[in-house]
Amino acid sequence: MTATLPLPAAPTAQPNDPRFETVSCYLCGSTDSVELLWGEDDLTGKPGRFRYVTCVDCGLAYQNPRLTVDEVKEYYDGEYIAHRKKTDWGVLTPFYEWAMDRHDRQKDALVSRFIRLDETSEVLDVGCAVGTYLQTVRRRHGARVTGVDFKDLRAHPSLEGVEFHCGLFYDQPLADRRFDLVTMWHFLEHDYDPARTLATARRVLKPHGRLVIEVPRLDSMTYRLFGRRWPGVQAPQHTVLYDRVRLLRMVESAGFEVVEYLPYGAFPAFFYFFAGTAFTILDGKGLDLQKAIYPYFAGQLLLAPFLAFEKQLNFAMQTVVCRRKEGDR
Ligand SMILES: [Zn+2]
């Protein structure tokens, strides 16, 4: 925690706390909202309570007030799983690595249904973390790969061969109409300015390029099951909780047309069943990933017959594939 002493040690979203800032709706600009839920950092158990609201005018669910950028950084430190700092999982290391590689292959399989990549293709991953997805793309298609992340991860060996940009996506000097494919895997729900991010994606995308966005889906089975302990809340990192309608409206208002909408993603829905159950039992105490990995794999085996319906049953994720609007190509 930062040394902001007379304030309570744990940030709790309230109007006078300088660690927070009030925002208006990311989709329609309205300041009119009703309370939706109070979220916590269930994954790490770090203290703090964060308020989510629903916009009265357009229905978008978002965190308000939100932590300032400086304050939220702390919540990305340490064992944030996407940054893959932890590599030793004991005897389960090969399973862990297989699961993570499988995730990157799933992303590639999903994208490959909508765009054919080769060695002339330019691919950009926004929120690339340590770049393992981009490495998969490079290995499989020979494409040139670029990644942006606000964490400086350039020393990480898996970013070798990736054109890595550190900082905010819309601040990067990326040429107009450069990319055949822009991907955002679980990025947009973390974003402090999604409209600007989408406008930038449109600018850097080639006329016939594709933008692929995966985010957790608010109007899903797992949200109905777990409510404020839904892993998609992931407070305070998640700034926006998208349902299908609001996700589509967001991309369309940024000048995209939807090629396809999928009620699933490359990210395993099982994680949301598992973590939602664990978060409900732990009641905000944080999940010990080292201990959780055994029941995680056991549960995955048990639920396999049910999980076979992942693509039909709207468990937890959503993916939208878009292109520039017709007149803009
Ligand atoms: Zn709104």
Side-chain angles (χ1 to χ4, degrees):
M1 293 275 102
T2 44
T4 37
L5 276 172
L7 289 165
T12 296
Q14 47 202 2
N16 302 323
D17 189 329
R19 291 171 291 192
F20 289 90
E21 58 194 9
T22 303
V23 279
S24 48
C25 176
Y26 297 96
L27 181 53
C28 77
S30 169
T31 52
D32 235 355
S33 61
V34 290
E35 197 164 291
L36 172 66
L37 60 87
W38 285 81
E40 295 177 70
D41 188 352
D42 285 300
L43 196 56
T44 69
K46 281 182 185 167
R49 294 185 73 236
F50 307 96
R51 181 172 172 263
Y52 288 80
V53 298
T54 304
C55 175
V56 167
D57 291 300
C58 77
L60 185 75
Y62 62 103
Q63 194 183 152
N64 198 17
R66 69 181 182 192
L67 281 182
T68 63
V69 171
D70 275 347
E71 291 291 336
V72 83
K73 276 184 181 152
E74 182 171 343
Y75 287 85
Y76 285 95
D77 287 342
E79 293 298 327
Y80 192 60
I81 198 160
H83 298 151
R84 295 203 196 179
K85 280 193 187 147
K86 183 170 174 55
T87 51
D88 181 14
W89 294 91
V91 294
L92 285 170
T93 300
F95 291 100
Y96 170 77
E97 283 172 358
W98 173 83
M100 293 303 258
D101 290 345
R102 181 170 181 268
H103 185 205
D104 290 325
R105 290 194 305 272
Q106 304 272 42
K107 291 176 183 173
D108 183 57
L110 193 157
V111 162
S112 297
R113 289 166 45 198
F114 300 97
I115 187 165
R116 188 188 295 271
L117 298 171
D118 60 31
E119 52 289 335
T120 67
S121 307
E122 291 262 13
V123 177
L124 171 69
D125 188 26
V126 182
C128 68
V130 295
T132 56
Y133 164 66
L134 289 172
Q135 295 293 6
T136 301
V137 169
R138 198 163 74 117
R139 202 170 53 240
R140 290 201 156 184
H141 311 286
R144 282 172 291 187
V145 293
T146 303
V148 181
D149 205 284
F150 83 98
K151 289 275 282 194
D152 191 356
L153 299 156
R154 81 190 75 194
H156 204 284
S158 63
L159 279 167
E160 216 181 292
V162 176
E163 181 186 315
F164 179 76
H165 296 260
C166 177
L168 295 167
F169 173 43
Y170 37 75
D171 289 341
Q172 303 309 314
L174 297 164
D176 292 1
R177 300 177 171 229
R178 172 177 164 187
F179 295 99
D180 299 276
L181 170 67
V182 177
T183 54
M184 296 178 188
W185 306 107
H186 291 258
F187 172 81
L188 208 61
E189 72 275 33
H190 295 250
D191 201 343
Y192 271 50
D193 198 345
R196 196 169 167 197
T197 290
L198 291 169
T200 306
R202 196 173 120 248
R203 179 179 72 72
V204 301
L205 201 62
K206 280 183 186 166
H208 293 279
R210 292 287 182 273
L211 168 68
V212 177
I213 300 169
E214 181 184 332
V215 291
R217 180 170 174 180
L218 186 62
D219 51 332
S220 65
M221 186 189 292
T222 47
Y223 176 69
R224 287 195 295 276
L225 271 174
F226 302 116
R228 71 188 179 97
R229 297 290 183 202
W230 182 52
V233 173
Q234 191 49 53
Q237 294 97 326
H238 286 185
T239 51
V240 185
L241 312 176
Y242 295 97
D243 62 7
R244 174 191 167 126
V245 169
R246 260 53 63 160
L247 177 65
L248 296 181
R249 218 177 273 169
M250 188 73 105
V251 296
E252 281 162 356
S253 62
F256 288 101
E257 69 186 35
V258 174
V259 174
E260 187 138 351
Y261 174 87
L262 308 171
Y264 59 90
F267 191 92
F270 172 68
F271 182 86
Y272 271 38
F273 285 106
F274 177 81
T277 306
F279 293 168
T280 303
I281 295 166
L282 294 164
D283 200 29
K285 283 196 279 291
L287 182 63
D288 182 339
L289 290 169
Q290 185 77 61
K291 283 186 192 151
I293 197 164
Y294 292 93
Y296 184 82
F297 283 108
Q300 194 156 27
L301 288 174
L302 280 170
L303 284 184
F306 171 65
L307 294 169
F309 296 98
E310 179 157 357
K311 290 184 178 165
Q312 288 82 41
L313 289 182
N314 179 24
F315 288 149
M317 299 298 151
Q318 56 184 341
T319 308
V320 62
V321 181
C322 344
R323 64 182 169 208
R324 284 167 170 246
K325 247 178 217 155
E326 193 146 5
D328 182 44
R329 268 180 266 155

